[in-house]
Amino acid sequence: GFAKVDHYRAINQGFPEVIFGLGKRPEQTAAIFERLTKTGLPVLATRCTAEVYGAVKSKVPEAVFHDLAQAVTLRVSEENEHPLGTIAVVTAGTADLPVAEEAAVSALAMGCRVKRIFDVGVAGLHRLLSKREELSEAQVIIVIAGMEGALASVVAGMVDIPVVAVPTSIGYGANFGGLSALLGMLNSCALGVGVVNIDNGFGAAALAATIVRSGRRDIGRSQDV
Amino acid sequence: GFAKVDHYRAINQGFPEVIFGLGKRPEQTAAIFERLTKTGLPVLATRCTAEVYGAVKSKVPEAVFHDLAQAVTLRVSEENEHPLGTIAVVTAGTADLPVAEEAAVSALAMGCRVKRIFDVGVAGLHRLLSKREELSEAQVIIVIAGMEGALASVVAGMVDIPVVAVPTSIGYGANFGGLSALLGMLNSCALGVGVVNIDNGFGAAALAATIVRSGRRDIGRSQDV
Amino acid sequence: GFAKVDHYRAINQGFPEVIFGLGKRPEQTAAIFERLTKTGLPVLATRCTAEVYGAVKSKVPEAVFHDLAQAVTLRVSEENEHPLGTIAVVTAGTADLPVAEEAAVSALAMGCRVKRIFDVGVAGLHRLLSKREELSEAQVIIVIAGMEGALASVVAGMVDIPVVAVPTSIGYGANFGGLSALLGMLNSCALGVGVVNIDNGFGAAALAATIVRSGRRDIGRSQDV
Amino acid sequence: GFAKVDHYRAINQGFPEVIFGLGKRPEQTAAIFERLTKTGLPVLATRCTAEVYGAVKSKVPEAVFHDLAQAVTLRVSEENEHPLGTIAVVTAGTADLPVAEEAAVSALAMGCRVKRIFDVGVAGLHRLLSKREELSEAQVIIVIAGMEGALASVVAGMVDIPVVAVPTSIGYGANFGGLSALLGMLNSCALGVGVVNIDNGFGAAALAATIVRSGRRDIGRSQDV
Amino acid sequence: GFAKVDHYRAINQGFPEVIFGLGKRPEQTAAIFERLTKTGLPVLATRCTAEVYGAVKSKVPEAVFHDLAQAVTLRVSEENEHPLGTIAVVTAGTADLPVAEEAAVSALAMGCRVKRIFDVGVAGLHRLLSKREELSEAQVIIVIAGMEGALASVVAGMVDIPVVAVPTSIGYGANFGGLSALLGMLNSCALGVGVVNIDNGFGAAALAATIVRSGRRDIGRSQDV
Amino acid sequence: GFAKVDHYRAINQGFPEVIFGLGKRPEQTAAIFERLTKTGLPVLATRCTAEVYGAVKSKVPEAVFHDLAQAVTLRVSEENEHPLGTIAVVTAGTADLPVAEEAAVSALAMGCRVKRIFDVGVAGLHRLLSKREELSEAQVIIVIAGMEGALASVVAGMVDIPVVAVPTSIGYGANFGGLSALLGMLNSCALGVGVVNIDNGFGAAALAATIVRSGRRDIGRSQDV
Amino acid sequence: GFAKVDHYRAINQGFPEVIFGLGKRPEQTAAIFERLTKTGLPVLATRCTAEVYGAVKSKVPEAVFHDLAQAVTLRVSEENEHPLGTIAVVTAGTADLPVAEEAAVSALAMGCRVKRIFDVGVAGLHRLLSKREELSEAQVIIVIAGMEGALASVVAGMVDIPVVAVPTSIGYGANFGGLSALLGMLNSCALGVGVVNIDNGFGAAALAATIVRSGRRDIGRSQDV
Amino acid sequence: GFAKVDHYRAINQGFPEVIFGLGKRPEQTAAIFERLTKTGLPVLATRCTAEVYGAVKSKVPEAVFHDLAQAVTLRVSEENEHPLGTIAVVTAGTADLPVAEEAAVSALAMGCRVKRIFDVGVAGLHRLLSKREELSEAQVIIVIAGMEGALASVVAGMVDIPVVAVPTSIGYGANFGGLSALLGMLNSCALGVGVVNIDNGFGAAALAATIVRSGRRDIGRSQDV
Ligand SMILES: Nc1ncnc2c1ncn2[C@@H]1O[C@H](COP(=O)(O)O)[C@@H](O)[C@H]1O
Ligand SMILES: Nc1ncnc2c1ncn2[C@@H]1O[C@H](COP(=O)(O)O)[C@@H](O)[C@H]1O
Ligand SMILES: Nc1ncnc2c1ncn2[C@@H]1O[C@H](COP(=O)(O)O)[C@@H](O)[C@H]1O
Ligand SMILES: Nc1ncnc2c1ncn2[C@@H]1O[C@H](COP(=O)(O)O)[C@@H](O)[C@H]1O
Ligand SMILES: [Mg+2]
Ligand SMILES: [Mg+2]
Ligand SMILES: [Mg+2]
Ligand SMILES: [Mg+2]
Ligand SMILES: [Mg+2]
Ligand SMILES: [Mg+2]
Ligand SMILES: [Mg+2]
Ligand SMILES: [Mg+2]
């Protein structure tokens, strides 16, 4: 075969099987997707176009397409019954939505509850300030912003919760494809910020879910005592 | 002579004579400084070490040294009697102070009133929010910040006043000598931000004073009608 | 809804409602545009293709398309009856026109008078020198140039008026998408230059209009005395 | 005073008071340090030379100097009695030690247990493979590496624990001051990696401790039910 | 003619004639290909689309298309009868396959035996560790990886065989078109790594084959003694 | 010996012997200098400190030190009796003088007449415009400028004479060690500009002298006819 | 009109009228072209597609299209009757031909004789070495090379003639759009090299022709004596 | 202890023990050096100052200092009795010598014969062309060059032997610390070039020796048959 499917599990128990659609042909993604359905676990394919979804659907009719997120899923619902924890997904602008939805769908697939807080960029602070309560209820906050990426610093300064910062390529000119937001987030003057690659909504969700799971496991340990 | 002093006036009436100390030998700066004292106007020399000040003082005993700003002045006082207008100088951290003081001293030398608002970076928003009133009384706000430079966006979002943004080289690692703050400010999602060179406190003051004077001139015109 | 329209007002009283068309679907822009018409204020949508204009026009027939500027407007005319002040829009070459027209249309929408001075790049200085009079009548000058961006320095050296410098991505090879002009303008040896993002005609107009309004407000204050 | 001390607390309850020594004069750091001793909390000053320590010690004789970490502390011991959780600090080479010790001392100051696993770079995998057990006992793993920074990917691939990756400036030539390790970590093919600024051991500890605390808080919540 | 064919031989005796298809029109490539068939040596054209292959095939019907490698060959078979030596071609992910196949086909064309070891990236080390035996049988190992390119360091640390490292442009965001893998490989902490240009599978094969031939020649010399 | 002196002549007949002092120890430079005196030709050593001059002088007492240019010469006078042609050396500011003097001394050593036109940067155009006559008398113009490097474009636009543009590292912040001037000059909108390396006064003179000699040789040819 | 045609002449007497086709619509270029035909001088339009040529031809039927050069000309022939001088156009590879032809056509249009020496890159030195004679007959040599751009250094080391170096964007990966060749040429260890922008064949011809004319004018002066 | 010495052996049998002196204190290097002497193998410490040598010598009196190479060795002689093979070390200029000597000493320590060919840069080709014979006798050629790094391409074009290219930081301005030579070598138009990090003479030797050993091993295998 053209790819070793068995190592998809390597990631971890509890995690969905994940297919990275970029650079794969529709039939390839569809074939892997079909095989993964047999595990009984949730299945997630990111970076998929509508055309890829077509190919998957013809093999796995129950597969669902997440238009904005450009993701195809199976056995992933908007509300997990026994969520591992809550991840807030926060964006600066509406243009960051595709990345945010990739993060949200991925976090759902990984068993978390997701709270979306969109379009609260720092140019109009009142929008963000009114969300302080909601933010403080999450175990992890994913902050997604392009242009200067200042939202990560402001959010991290407001709460004492781990912030996973995702720079986006949104902007133009001297944003240099997301470099401005990336550097902004890496140089954040606030504490508690970890940065992932530009536009990497999926990676942010994976880190956030790992953090949530790491906390849960400790619960077990603590209760053992 | 080693430099043409007469063109220092080119800048404009009302402006002080300015000497850029960087790369000049102490005696050179002192010699130009002495000649400029004869104009009766304020004199300003930026980027001067204590050693340069020594050389100037031996020729012009009334010259004043601004330690933090690394500036030497004559006929520049902390309060202008008939200020052209008010310039707020705002910094994110205490490490930005040298640049802020270069801006402040320069603005004073150019005939403005200066209001200093220091150490109000975005990691602790309450500090900045409590200054909204003070900010709104300025004709121009100079925002000085290193690291991710997010302060410029937040300030510009709070008020409807021109913001002159000065990225500083404060920070380390992926700040790349001020590049992170520079790109952050150029990509600001807020409106009304003009950016100057990294660490260029003097240039920020010159732009701010030009804006203030531009407004004053219009007053004259309006009153003519 | 897919976007919070109310915060478009955040910008300021007197400002038009502004829609940033990039990355929005035609129907989205059209829907926001329609809603904004109800405010009675001017409406401005930037970065719109002819196709977007089609979508807007089918909902708001009086909407106007500015071809070169790639902007759609309502209640914006080439001559404001009571202009807040005059903004000169100056370009180095004809290829800079789209950015210049975005700036011009935006400045008109914000209530200013606009004076266009195009194609006066520094390779043939006589073209620029013959415009000194016109330049000196503006309250703010927007200088738009690609390639080496030298025009900003030369204009700022000629007048004592704030210069808003817009680097453009015009050029090829080692212009690196506008970086050459951007760095040129940030390192200007002339005083009174504030830089905005590459190709950001709208942002330049917003800064220029903020400067003009800042001056007007001071008139009020002065006259109060 | 030259700095607002009260906002040092902003970080959070349970956190030590932290002073960033870079760019402060010895007496400044010493003065802030002395004031902070009054809170009864641990005190931590990073980026301090031996000279700075001298200044602190003359005011606070019990202050301790951590030579490799370039940190000065008070009430910070190598073993916390009731640690919040365990943070593993892993380095690729011995040259990464200063950054690792800054992280370790900071994590101790924030109430965590620290496990040091040094000099296990990927050029000799057996060194790392023999540490799998130790690694899997941590709640968070801080991976510190210069040159190509590959260690972060390899560690994150071995365990299902959040990895905080710190690129260091160790190396020469085309490492461009840590850029190679930074880009390597941002582009990690492994899941669960969050990146902080180059050489930012303190920032890594702050993120790690925030993650650990976030998990603890959830224990409380879970137990409430 | 539009190109001097004779110098294609300059490369060396034993080497195939090689055509670099990029930027050539189909007929051009086809014409050169046809001429080269007359030498009796293997012929190799890289960077060829299916369309180019069509043009070649119409002139040289026996020409073979290597779909993944985007290469057209003549007299190149998957197994050389008297191979000069063995080159292992190792990839981190499936997305690196096109570059790997360009390397493999080129190495075959140059008279080597090729052993493909694909999809053994460092995020799941067991995949790579299980190949140690196979790796150690090669005279040269070509390691092909995108993203952070860590595979080169890990492989070079496992064996005492020359590693030719090929960074690929696979990835997105802060991979900057392959820069992250390139810098990672140049800064490898392991010994015995030589780097070629991003995505340069052919160049890697040429270096690897030169190494193999260099060893063979020495055999001759040694046996002379 | 530690260096092959004979190839210093390779440059060309009519050229002086040139020693590049950077990275050589004083005695090394002195030794080469002494040997070169025997040729009877002019001798030029660039990038020499006063200390190096001391070492040279102790061996070749007639050697002359050019303080600003950091050059040591023999048989080079400010006025060549039969100059090959005239090279104008033009600078934007006084800080560019060291580079300008390196160019001037080198051009003199290569047999040209040199006309210095200093401190005529574009922020005050009248200074440059008053030199049009002088400029137009040169066969080649060397334009030396830091910061935005706009002077090259303006000069090249004024005259129909080859311009050799030398970006300097003068400036700070976003000049990135001369990159801003370098990109400005490479992207010049004026015709007839050839760029050399940052701060490379000697290289500019070598190109200028080659141009002058190339013209002279043609005179010979033309007169033959 | 949409562009000021009269300033096209600013360049200089003897020069053709030049239109830069990039970013102009076919009808625009055609309209300017038609107007310029009235001057009686040669006309040159660069960066024109076949479509643009169609538009020009329908207005100016005698216009000629230079396919490789992407140029349209009028009154430009391959051989000038009384050439100002000879310019050699040298390329490293066949992929550099479009830039080379832009240079060649431009040089012809400016009245020079052109000698083409193509495909003599440094990987096979004998090709270049066999052209020494031809090279030495030129007044200026334009060297056009992509990838590492080493050809400029080697040519400049062979002759004592001004070299105008044109880096091209030919290559891939770490050539970063021509940056590798650009830096290579700027850092040339050979003397007498002036660099123009990446892919700027026209600019190279303009500089070369200016050099040739500068030499001619001196002939006049010399003969006056 | 402060470093795990046992893994120094990991590199391979036959290799010397290597200490990387950068960032180690003199006593640290001396202590490791002393311990390594007990292995009976050659010992090599790179990046050592004279001061470090002093510390080593006081513990290991027979240790030898290689001034130019900044290396300390034990049991390494200029001529190996039974060399594994011959490595040519070629430099462009004399300023590249320190890197070349680090490579040479390292190669000797690894059991190879070394042939030095210095100062044969491409600006004077005859120097290099006269060495063709010598070059062709090596099993591997290490090419060391700064500035534009063109030497690697020219050498690789001359011979059919693996070239290990070492870019050096020699140069100034737009060499950007060795970036120009690095990019030049990575984009080499010649075949058979593998690149190592900037100034990495040791790494080049390690790769070259690995290549030589790889060839030797094959001899054994071949003879087995
Ligand atoms: N959007 C994404 N960005 C980065 N990595 C991803 C993304 N989606 C999936 N992946 C990773 O890609 C791997 C699958 O790659 P592949 O073998 O090419 O399907 C999975 O193990 C995921 O960790
Ligand atoms: N800190 C500064 N940064 C940039 N430019 C400055 C600074 N201080 C003074 N200048 C400018 O430098 C010019 C004087 O340069 P100089 O002729 O070298 O003294 C003045 O006209 C100022 O515009
Ligand atoms: N290929 C080219 N690259 C750069 N500049 C060019 C090129 N062709 C023409 N030009 C210049 O562009 C100017 C014409 O620009 P425009 O006014 O836009 O037609 C002419 O004065 C030429 O100097
Ligand atoms: N000049 C050098 N550049 C890069 N790596 C080196 C150099 N010299 C020694 N090394 C490597 O550094 C390792 C020793 O590092 P350390 O443990 O810090 O002494 C050795 O295994 C060598 O592979
Ligand atoms: Mg926080
Ligand atoms: Mg505002
Ligand atoms: Mg001005
Ligand atoms: Mg993991
Ligand atoms: Mg190895
Ligand atoms: Mg000119
Ligand atoms: Mg030459
Ligand atoms: Mg070769």
Side-chain angles (χ1 to χ4, degrees), chain E residues 26-108:
Chain E
E27 335 62 273
Q28 285 183 311
T29 297
I32 308 179
F33 200 101
E34 188 180 26
R35 239 171 318 157
L36 293 180
T37 60
K38 292 168 193 148
T39 63
L41 289 171
V43 182
L44 167 65
T46 62
R47 310 272 159 139
C48 295
T49 59
E51 188 200 350
V52 171
Y53 174 56
V56 173
K57 202 181 166 75
S58 75
K59 296 206 163 186
V60 186
E62 328 81 90
V64 176
F65 189 47
H66 305 258
D67 189 6
L68 261 174
Q70 296 277 294
V72 183
T73 60
L74 187 76
R75 301 184 200 109
V76 172
S77 77
E78 190 60 27
E79 291 292 337
N80 281 296
E81 250 175 86
H82 304 292
L84 290 172
T86 301
I87 294 173
V89 179
V90 181
T91 72
T94 54
D96 303 314
L97 252 67
V99 178
E101 283 301 323
E102 184 183 284
V105 170
S106 301
L108 289 170

Side-chain angles (χ1 to χ4, degrees), chain G residues 123 147-148 150 153 157 174-175 184 187 189, chain H residues 123 147-148 153 157 174-175 184 187 189:
Chain G
M147 304 175 90
E148 83 276 60
S153 294
N175 82 329
N187 286 283
C189 59
Chain H
M147 302 176 90
E148 83 276 59
S153 294
N175 81 328
N187 287 283
C189 59

Side-chain angles (χ1 to χ4, degrees), chain G residues 156-157 159-160 191:
Chain G
V159 295
D160 184 35
L191 296 181

Side-chain angles (χ1 to χ4, degrees), chain C residues 9 14 18 21 28-29 38-39 47 50 55 61 67 70 89 101-102 110-111 128 185 191 194 199 207 210 220:
Chain C
R9 321 220 38 173
V18 185
Q28 285 183 311
T29 297
K38 290 165 195 154
T39 63
R47 310 270 160 140
D67 189 6
Q70 296 277 295
V89 178
E101 283 301 320
E102 184 183 284
M110 291 163 192
L128 180 63
M185 287 166 168
L191 296 181
D199 290 337
L207 174 54
T210 306

Side-chain angles (χ1 to χ4, degrees), chain F residues 56-96:
Chain F
V56 174
K57 202 182 166 74
S58 74
K59 296 206 164 189
V60 185
E62 333 73 275
V64 175
F65 189 47
H66 305 258
D67 188 7
L68 261 174
Q70 296 277 295
V72 184
T73 59
L74 186 76
R75 304 187 199 106
V76 171
S77 76
E78 189 62 25
E79 289 293 335
N80 282 295
E81 247 176 86
H82 304 292
L84 290 172
T86 301
I87 294 172
V89 178
V90 181
T91 73
T94 55
D96 302 315

